[in-house]
Amino acid sequence: MKKILLAVMTIIAIGISTQSYSQSKFTVNFTGGYSAPMADFKNNIILSDTAQDNWPYRMKNGFNFGAQGKLSLGNTGNYKLAFGLNYSSFSNEGTVTGTDGIARTFKPKVSLITIALGGEYDFLPKGNVNPYLGLDVTGNFWGGSFKFTPNNTTAFRDQDMKSEARFGLQFNGGCEFKLSKNVGLTAGLKYNIANLVGKGQDDPSEVGPNEVDLGDKAHDIFPDRTVAYLQTYAGLVIYFGFPKSTK
């Protein structure tokens, strides 16, 4: 952690001490980082974890990568239209035991493809160090798998995640560091609530024999569940669309 803070402070110092660069009209970010499941999305694997409705909610850690475009609005450049595409993957590993007494390795995995559209406020759009805050509406598309070793009983056989779609919100905060007229760096945090709208419990007839649904709406003994996660990210910024007067 100390090394990360030192690296960030060094980048900030370089940005403050170097010359100022003209503000671009459009930027593209390419980022990647670590993802941490939160709320009902994060749970430990239980030894007798045979209830499939719980499997999508046994995540421990993950990663993310994606791309984002930002279009400056107005003359000051403080406000931006933001849109992006992101892939997130979460997983865990533990041991489960069935009625046969055999211990099995359980590896649940859940993936999300997220399309985001929203806005951003830049505090110092013309500066070399530019903090920002953003808010996006997201469409989240689910997939994944649930693997067992050994995989040889009805209760413990490999399953796939049923394709699902939910809508949510994404809160974004970070800082951009301009290194030159055309290139910069960015780093920050995103907090995602991925299933605010569209929660459901699928009809059993709509779920295949080797599929597990998200089941985030209250049903049977299971309550409503919230899928949330925190993303840390860092990456490259490319600047486009400079004013004609820029040399």
Side-chain angles (χ1 to χ4, degrees), residues 81-103:
L81 176 67
F83 48 93
L85 179 67
N86 192 85
Y87 175 82
S88 301
S89 180
F90 299 89
S91 61
N92 201 351
E93 182 174 339
T95 301
V96 294
T97 302
T99 55
D100 56 8
I102 297 175

Side-chain angles (χ1 to χ4, degrees), residues 63-184:
F63 64 89
N64 65 84
F65 60 86
Q68 184 181 41
K70 301 179 184 181
L71 178 66
S72 295
L73 305 174
N75 295 324
T76 64
N78 292 100
Y79 296 95
K80 288 182 177 178
L81 176 67
F83 48 93
L85 179 67
N86 192 85
Y87 175 82
S88 301
S89 180
F90 299 89
S91 61
N92 201 351
E93 182 174 339
T95 301
V96 294
T97 302
T99 55
D100 56 8
I102 297 175
R104 292 169 174 81
T105 299
F106 178 34
K107 294 182 178 180
K109 178 181 177 181
V110 171
S111 60
L112 292 90
I113 295 175
T114 299
I115 299 173
L117 176 63
E120 179 181 289
Y121 182 82
D122 287 15
F123 292 90
L124 298 170
K126 297 181 180 180
N128 292 340
V129 179
N130 174 32
Y132 57 83
L133 292 174
L135 176 64
D136 303 311
V137 175
T138 63
N140 304 283
F141 303 90
W142 303 75
S145 62
F146 307 93
K147 304 291 185 181
F148 297 90
T149 306
N151 171 38
N152 58 1
T153 70
T154 301
F156 295 110
R157 67 179 187 274
D158 290 352
Q159 304 268 350
D160 292 320
M161 183 81 187
K162 183 179 181 293
S163 297
E164 305 268 11
R166 301 287 189 270
F167 297 93
L169 289 177
Q170 175 175 271
F171 302 89
N172 183 23
C175 197
E176 187 179 295
F177 310 96
K178 293 181 181 177
L179 302 180
S180 71
K181 173 185 172 182
N182 301 108
V183 176

